[in-house]
Amino acid sequence: MPKFHFSVDIGDQKNLAFQEVSGLDTETQIIEYRAGNSKDFSTVKMPGIKKVGNVTLKKGIFVKDNKFWDWYSQISMNTIKRVPVVIKLLDEKGNPTMVWTLQNAWPTKITGTDLKADGNEVAVETLEIAHEGLTIANS
């Protein structure tokens, strides 16, 4: 499956254009336990608390496009508008083949572009999103 054809929905903003999405990972922490009367002199490993990483999205900067800065500026006294983020891997006809959904997502970091007088690249900003869970669905 090619990974270059995808779309992103953030809350009610649909089909946003991004250059790159990374950090779609989840892991389960390990609990090590050994009973005092165990004949084995080693621990048993059991699944513990699930942990998700932050997701990073990169996109080109366009004139008067401050939606992410506006969302980020709403952080106030431990409160922020949390929204679902849906990332869809698309087939050649534009239909989703795999869908990642981030629950209760909010912006934790925005990095503006670097500036170079002799540069020839597109201005790209980075949005880092924290969330409280990741689900994956195949279409």
Side-chain angles (χ1 to χ4, degrees):
M1 204 62 232
K3 64 180 185 176
F4 58 79
H5 192 197
F6 60 93
S7 71
V8 179
D9 301 338
I10 298 180
D12 58 358
Q13 299 177 60
K14 304 295 182 194
N15 202 23
L16 299 171
F18 284 92
Q19 175 186 357
E20 183 180 334
V21 175
S22 62
L24 294 170
D25 58 51
T26 182
E27 71 175 270
T28 302
Q29 295 178 348
I30 298 170
I31 299 172
E32 293 192 20
Y33 175 77
R34 181 186 176 279
N37 62 354
S38 174
K39 295 181 191 234
D40 295 329
F41 291 108
S42 62
T43 57
V44 175
K45 295 185 179 186
M46 301 178 289
I49 295 173
K50 288 184 181 175
K51 185 169 105 174
V52 293
N54 292 344
V55 172
T56 302
L57 304 129
K58 293 184 179 182
K59 72 174 197 62
I61 297 175
F62 297 96
V63 176
K64 297 183 182 176
D65 181 12
N66 294 329
K67 291 179 197 137
F68 300 134
W69 290 98
D70 294 343
W71 186 25
Y72 181 80
S73 69
Q74 294 173 12
I75 296 174
S76 174
M77 296 298 292
N78 294 336
T79 60
I80 182 67
K81 181 180 178 186
R82 297 168 185 253
V83 299
V85 173
V86 180
I87 301 156
K88 296 177 252 182
L89 182 62
L90 307 173
D91 64 15
E92 64 277 356
K93 295 178 183 172
N95 299 316
T97 59
M98 219 169 158
V99 179
W100 294 265
T101 303
L102 313 177
Q103 289 93 25
N104 296 324
W106 56 278
T108 182
K109 181 179 181 181
I110 297 178
T111 305
T113 189
D114 59 337
L115 304 171
K116 297 181 207 170
D118 62 348
N120 193 22
E121 302 89 20
V122 172
V124 174
E125 71 180 348
T126 303
L127 172 67
E128 189 173 324
I129 294 179
H131 61 96
E132 296 176 349
L134 169 68
T135 58
I136 302 172
N138 295 323
S139 296

